[in-house]
Amino acid sequence: MKNSIKIFFIFSLLNLYLFSNASSEEIFKFEVSEIEITQNGNLIKGYNGGKATTNNGISIKANEFEYNKLLTSLNAYENVELEHKNRDIYINSDNITYLKNAEIITAKGNIKFKDKRNNILISANQISYYVNQKKIVAKESVIIEDLKNNQNLKENEIIYFHDNLEIHAN
């Protein structure tokens, strides 16, 4: 009888520990100057500069953030800098939207995309970065520069696979 009570007690503590860790895991970690939390904790806004990071090596610095917990969507505005440390990818833009569940990052306005690993620089008005597919789709006034081979390409739209340095131009 004492052994079954001990086993039940240990099992209960283990379940409590596992479930409390699972529910407390956040998708984004925020470091912001000012924060506003509304809609029962489902909408988080950050102001006056800060940083949002994920567990997959992506960090975003911006003047303002808006995170919708239900949609797992992060919008970053003004002087946005994204860094994907695991892949040596950097994006500077006016604003960025990160759909975390879909792993799609969309940047708009004055974009500079840099793949440091392959020495590729892309300038465009809009870029979609498909994280899991390791694919970048750049649109509107696209300039892609191969800094290693000193080559440039100007197009209206390109698709760049950074894992194997494959470029498709339309």
Side-chain angles (χ1 to χ4, degrees):
M1 179 74 176
K2 287 183 181 180
N3 284 341
S4 26
I5 292 173
K6 285 181 185 178
I7 291 171
F8 176 76
F9 182 73
I10 291 170
F11 181 76
S12 297
L13 284 176
L14 184 61
N15 274 338
L16 181 64
Y17 175 75
L18 290 175
F19 285 116
S20 68
N21 277 349
S23 66
S24 68
E25 185 177 323
E26 291 294 327
I27 292 176
F28 290 97
K29 178 184 171 192
F30 291 93
E31 299 170 26
V32 292
S33 301
E34 293 180 36
I35 194 163
E36 176 185 347
I37 301 171
T38 59
Q39 299 179 9
N40 295 324
N42 292 321
L43 187 63
I44 300 170
K45 294 181 180 182
Y47 302 103
N48 295 325
K51 183 177 179 180
T53 56
T54 66
N55 59 356
N56 64 345
I58 294 176
S59 65
I60 302 171
K61 292 180 185 176
N63 288 349
E64 294 184 15
F65 292 97
E66 183 176 296
Y67 174 57
N68 184 317
K69 241 182 183 179
L70 299 176
L71 300 174
T72 64
S73 170
L74 176 70
N75 294 309
Y77 305 100
E78 296 179 30
N79 302 317
V80 184
E81 298 175 15
L82 180 140
E83 177 181 10
H84 192 171
K85 290 179 185 177
N86 301 345
R87 297 189 182 153
D88 283 335
I89 287 179
Y90 302 85
I91 302 173
N92 290 356
S93 178
D94 291 340
N95 63 62
I96 284 179
T97 299
Y98 185 3
L99 303 175
K100 182 66 173 111
N101 283 347
E103 287 297 342
I104 299 171
I105 298 167
T106 304
K108 292 183 180 178
N110 299 314
I111 301 164
K112 298 290 183 206
F113 174 97
K114 187 163 188 178
D115 178 351
K116 282 191 174 181
R117 199 174 285 170
N118 296 313
N119 286 321
I120 298 291
L121 181 65
I122 301 172
S123 300
N125 289 325
Q126 181 178 336
I127 285 182
S128 295
Y129 173 29
Y130 299 86
V131 178
N132 292 338
Q133 297 159 345
K134 302 174 184 173
K135 174 176 89 170
I136 291 85
V137 177
K139 297 179 181 180
E140 299 176 30
S141 304
V142 180
I143 300 171
I144 185 165
E145 299 176 60
D146 181 344
L147 301 174
K148 184 178 179 181
N149 297 313
N150 200 24
Q151 295 179 336
N152 294 335
L153 175 66
K154 294 180 182 181
E155 287 294 332
N156 219 16
E157 180 179 336
I158 62 105
I159 300 171
Y160 169 59
F161 296 90
H162 65 86
D163 209 27
N164 59 0
L165 275 171
E166 187 177 325
I167 299 170
H168 300 259
N170 292 338

